[in-house]
Amino acid sequence: MEPINSLETADIQPLSPSVPVPPTLRDGECYHVFISYSSNDHQWTHCLIDQLEACGLQVCYHDRDFLPSRTVLENMSDCIQESQKVLLVLSPEFVRSRWCLLEANMSLFRDCLERKPIVPVLLEPGVSVPLHLCHLTYLEANDPDFKNKLLKVLCTPNQQLQGSTVLPFHPPSIYNGKALQPLDAVNEDSLSKWDCGQFSDMEVPDQLRLIIEDQEKYRKAVRMLNSVSKNKNDDEKYIVREMKKAIGQANIILSEEKVLMGRRSNSKISLVYVSLDRCKHEFSETFSDQFCAEDLYQRALLYFSSGYACCLAQRHFPFPQPSSTGHLEGGVCFCQYVSQQLSVDQWE
């Protein structure tokens, strides 16, 4: 697929002759859909808007409909509230942009309470979908029948979509094991392979703000990672070992917030959202001595949590799926991973 910003109007296929009728706007509704998109995807999105409005849909978007007398947050709140549905144009720039992430999070968390359908549109394959959108069924822009599928959803009254996966009515467990946006070192460009990157603890990343209740725990975890000392002998194995140890210590803290770090490289840290509560309970059930169980659980986090987080983030484990049922639906849980590692490795 071509880069999004080079798409021409011709890339948007015409709608079929049989066009559904837009639903009636109820009291308090001014628009059929609020469209959220990155300014980098302006051309593609406006071609889509023109087609939707030609079909009789009332479309709301920030370039035209935000009022200069109100703040960005006030405008977003009002426009989403006055729209029947929310359409998110997902592209790499949308995901990277704090403004767009804020818009996406706001629409999901405010309007899921009001049962407002969310319609994610994936502009190109391989886009890293934000955690709180990953369970929704998205439409693909390169699908030949994309526009007709989109129009069918937008023209279906909300009450008829109650069983649809465009509605965010899912328990938190559906996020379990999902990858978050990785952390990049601030000194990545000047980093030697035997040095550990330095990671900013000034601000908690946008996605983590929605997950971690005690944000000081995140900052403390990052400071642990930044405390890895420089290797005077230029030994690459040393820095890998010390980074994994620091990440293990950080994960003892972060696991309480259902977040784990993993060392992808000296300058990049994987982050995953995963609950270890049932695995921790398994340790306490297996080892009758409560003190011994807690000690072994923390040692497991210290030595194995970094590798486990990386495997979850990459959706690949270096061994076959265990035949026994674990504590992570559709995947390998932490105690299964530890068991596999201990079968070929030892506690350090």
Side-chain angles (χ1 to χ4, degrees):
M1 184 173 180
E2 296 179 64
I4 298 304
N5 57 12
S6 68
L7 289 175
E8 302 295 338
T9 306
D11 289 308
I12 296 187
Q13 301 299 317
L15 295 160
S16 67
S18 177
V19 177
V21 178
T24 302
L25 294 172
R26 299 174 299 178
D27 289 345
E29 294 178 344
C30 301
Y31 309 100
H32 293 106
V33 60
F34 170 69
I35 298 185
S36 175
Y37 60 95
S38 165
S39 57
N40 281 26
D41 308 316
H42 175 277
Q43 184 177 359
W44 188 94
T45 305
H46 276 256
C47 291
L48 174 64
I49 290 171
D50 290 344
Q51 287 204 359
L52 295 179
E53 291 187 331
C55 296
L57 286 162
Q58 299 296 318
V59 179
C60 178
Y61 58 98
H62 69 269
D63 285 348
R64 180 186 65 191
D65 298 307
F66 277 15
L67 300 176
S69 60
R70 297 178 68 77
T71 67
V72 171
L73 285 177
E74 289 171 338
N75 271 303
M76 285 195 294
S77 176
D78 292 344
C79 290
I80 292 172
Q81 185 66 26
E82 294 170 355
S83 301
Q84 289 184 344
K85 298 176 177 70
V86 176
L87 190 154
L88 306 176
V89 181
L90 299 180
S91 68
E93 183 57 33
F94 182 98
V95 174
R96 281 192 296 267
S97 165
R98 179 180 301 177
W99 141 261
C100 289
L101 278 174
L102 176 62
E103 216 171 316
N105 293 331
M106 178 184 174
S107 65
L108 277 170
F109 287 98
R110 169 178 174 146
D111 296 307
C112 73
L113 300 177
E114 302 172 3
R115 304 192 173 192
K116 187 157 295 193
I118 311 297
V119 186
V121 172
L122 203 62
L123 273 187
E124 58 181 292
V127 174
S128 180
V129 178
L131 173 69
H132 299 285
L133 303 177
C134 65
H135 64 287
L136 300 178
T137 298
Y138 54 80
L139 299 177
E140 295 182 280
N142 60 359
D143 182 343
D145 200 34
F146 159 68
K147 298 305 176 304
N148 294 314
K149 289 179 180 178
L150 174 60
L151 197 62
K152 183 178 180 180
V153 172
L154 296 181
C155 291
T156 300
N158 286 0
Q159 61 270 23
Q160 295 180 24
L161 288 172
Q162 292 306 305
S164 170
T165 51
V166 299
L167 289 173
F169 295 156
H170 300 270
S173 61
I174 56 144
Y175 303 129
N176 213 15
K178 301 297 184 182
L180 302 168
Q181 293 296 301
L183 298 180
D184 293 317
V186 295
N187 60 338
E188 180 179 11
D189 293 339
S190 59
L191 197 63
S192 301
K193 63 180 180 180
W194 49 80
D195 287 337
C196 175
Q198 293 293 298
F199 300 87
S200 174
D201 64 352
M202 293 182 63
E203 290 188 359
V204 179
D206 293 296
Q207 285 186 318
L208 292 184
R209 290 181 186 179
L210 301 166
I211 299 167
I212 297 179
E213 293 185 12
D214 186 352
Q215 296 182 10
E216 184 56 34
K217 288 183 178 180
Y218 170 80
R219 296 186 178 92
K220 184 177 180 181
V222 172
R223 287 195 288 269
M224 285 181 172
L225 188 56
N226 288 339
S227 68
V228 175
S229 59
K230 182 175 180 179
N231 178 28
K232 297 179 180 179
N233 298 320
D234 296 345
D235 185 351
E236 187 176 356
K237 291 183 179 179
Y238 167 86
I239 206 66
V240 170
R241 184 172 61 252
E242 292 301 304
M243 281 190 71
K244 287 183 177 180
K245 187 183 299 183
I247 289 173
Q249 292 170 338
N251 283 340
I252 292 175
I253 298 172
L254 291 177
S255 61
E256 298 174 2
E257 302 289 331
K258 297 179 172 57
V259 172
L260 290 181
M261 289 179 170
R263 178 195 170 277
R264 185 182 297 184
S265 70
N266 291 12
S267 62
K268 190 179 290 289
I269 301 298
S270 295
L271 288 170
V272 294
Y273 178 90
V274 60
S275 172
L276 302 185
D277 292 346
R278 293 172 65 192
C279 291
K280 185 176 182 180
H281 180 71
E282 184 76 17
F283 272 78
S284 64
E285 290 286 312
T286 304
F287 304 99
S288 56
D289 185 321
Q290 193 61 40
F291 177 79
C292 176
E294 180 64 25
D295 180 61
L296 288 174
Y297 175 70
Q298 293 209 4
R299 287 182 68 191
L301 286 172
L302 185 62
Y303 294 118
F304 299 119
S305 62
S306 175
Y308 178 65
C310 285
C311 289
L312 276 183
Q314 296 168 8
R315 300 181 182 180
H316 174 75
F317 287 83
F319 49 79
Q321 180 84 15
S323 56
S324 59
T325 303
H327 304 121
L328 179 62
E329 185 177 350
V332 177
C333 73
F334 181 59
C335 48
Q336 285 179 318
Y337 179 82
V338 171
S339 177
Q340 287 285 342
Q341 292 301 104
L342 287 177
S343 69
V344 296
D345 205 349
Q346 295 180 348
W347 298 103
E348 294 184 20

